[in-house]
Amino acid sequence: MTIPMEFQHTSDAFESFLADARDTSGLGTRNQTYTVVEGVLRTFRRRLDVHEAIRFAQVLPPVLRAIFVADWDTTAAPVPFTDRETMTDEVRALRQHHNFASGTAITDVATALLRHVDRTAFDAVLATLPPGALAFWHVTDPERT
């Protein structure tokens, strides 16, 4: 079997996503963007059990999949989805002295991510996750995706 295309072009795909997320969020550097993306992924992951999180990870591009599962305490119990402001504060808590997440960080990352995933597969997985998962990734402005 040949190497799947998603793995042959992993670095290019990740750089494309990171540039998209940087531009969407108005950040200045890829390092700032990486921290915000990681914060959003971790915030979402905290609300899933291990089985749900693995199903979700399967629809992410390879590097984002790796970031999503990195440094994960799989013994921690999931926490409930809350309001956007509270979850955005959680995004900002990751490396807080070097985190440039704005109040729209979750929406900004979601907007970029939706342009880099298979939307059919992504939406199908979200439909199997706890209430709040779909809203977490929902983007209300159709011009943004």
Side-chain angles (χ1 to χ4, degrees), residues 11-22:
S11 292
D12 293 339
F14 180 63
E15 288 301 326
S16 175
F17 164 77
L18 212 55
D20 191 358
R22 180 199 62 220

Side-chain angles (χ1 to χ4, degrees), residues 45-50 72-79:
R45 182 184 73 196
R46 286 190 66 224
R47 286 149 176 85
L48 305 177
D49 68 29
V50 172
W72 182 12
D73 177 3
T74 58
T75 63
V79 299

